[in-house]
Amino acid sequence: MLLMLLTTQQLKIIELAKENYHKAKDMLDEAINILTTTDRSSLSEAFNEKGNILHEQGKYTLAIGCFKKSIKLAKKLDNYQIIAHNLQKLGFTYFIDNKWNYAIKYSQNAIEIAEKHKLTHLLNHAQQTIVRVKAKQGKHEEALQAALDATLNFFKEVDNPTTQANNP
């Protein structure tokens, strides 16, 4: 029952975030306080959503903290999908914040976990972040190779319906 209520709340928060980031963040803070003692999986998702809101507001340092908390909880649950997903978000947030070495590091970590656990639907975003960093660094051949890798993985995902089933 608690999980169903939280899922309904998450949908409300996502809709609210489109209109009012501050109120959505407050709702997530309240959910985090409730979940701290109950459900690690939902708590990990709440930190992820809060990170998304903070990222959209340009509060990158705070967003990074939320994504890292989400990863820490997901590691305790061996939830590699959430780990890879948040690692790629960390990579993209560091890219936006012009911290390119961290963007590459976290994107590569996301790719490694996604490949190891056959989460191909999570590869493309991390690879795109690497393409962007390499292009910004003027490493055009590396950017082209990373773009080719991302494109090939995209087509593998499209051609393999079982990987799409893992994509919520």
Side-chain angles (χ1 to χ4, degrees):
M1 180 69 179
L2 178 63
L3 187 57
M4 188 168 89
L5 177 65
L6 291 172
T7 303
T8 304
Q9 286 298 101
Q10 285 176 318
L11 293 174
K12 288 179 184 177
I13 291 168
I14 292 167
E15 287 302 312
L16 181 61
K18 294 176 184 175
E19 300 170 15
N20 185 334
Y21 286 116
H22 181 72
K23 190 169 181 181
K25 188 185 102 28
D26 288 346
M27 288 178 71
L28 282 166
D29 286 339
E30 186 178 326
I32 288 167
N33 287 334
I34 293 168
L35 293 169
T36 299
T37 58
T38 57
D39 182 1
R40 284 185 183 168
S41 179
S42 294
L43 182 59
S44 178
E45 290 179 31
F47 276 117
N48 172 50
E49 292 301 331
K50 184 176 177 183
N52 289 334
I53 290 169
L54 292 166
H55 175 95
E56 290 297 320
Q57 292 179 313
K59 298 177 180 177
Y60 303 124
T61 302
L62 295 173
I64 287 165
C66 287
F67 294 140
K68 287 183 176 181
K69 286 178 183 175
S70 180
I71 290 168
K72 185 177 180 178
L73 290 163
K75 284 181 178 179
K76 291 178 182 177
L77 300 168
D78 291 329
N79 189 327
Y80 298 104
Q81 181 163 321
I82 291 176
I83 295 167
H85 183 71
N86 279 285
L87 284 169
Q88 71 88 21
K89 286 184 175 191
L90 275 172
F92 184 69
T93 303
Y94 278 120
F95 168 74
I96 296 296
D97 203 23
N98 294 315
K99 295 178 180 169
W100 297 338
N101 289 336
Y102 287 115
I104 294 285
K105 173 186 169 183
Y106 285 105
S107 295
Q108 286 176 332
N109 288 345
I111 290 167
E112 288 169 13
I113 289 173
E115 286 176 340
K116 181 177 179 181
H117 297 282
K118 297 182 181 13
L119 302 167
T120 57
H121 63 283
L122 296 174
L123 288 171
N124 198 267
H125 290 290
Q127 290 172 320
Q128 288 176 16
T129 298
I130 292 173
V131 170
R132 291 174 176 174
V133 170
K134 296 296 183 182
K136 287 274 190 183
Q137 292 175 327
K139 298 178 180 178
H140 301 292
E141 286 183 29
E142 290 179 38
L144 284 171
Q145 183 60 53
L148 177 61
D149 292 343
T151 303
L152 291 172
N153 281 323
F154 171 78
F155 284 115
K156 286 179 190 174
E157 180 183 347
V158 169
D159 289 340
N160 187 352
T162 60
T163 62
Q164 293 174 359
N166 292 328
N167 191 0

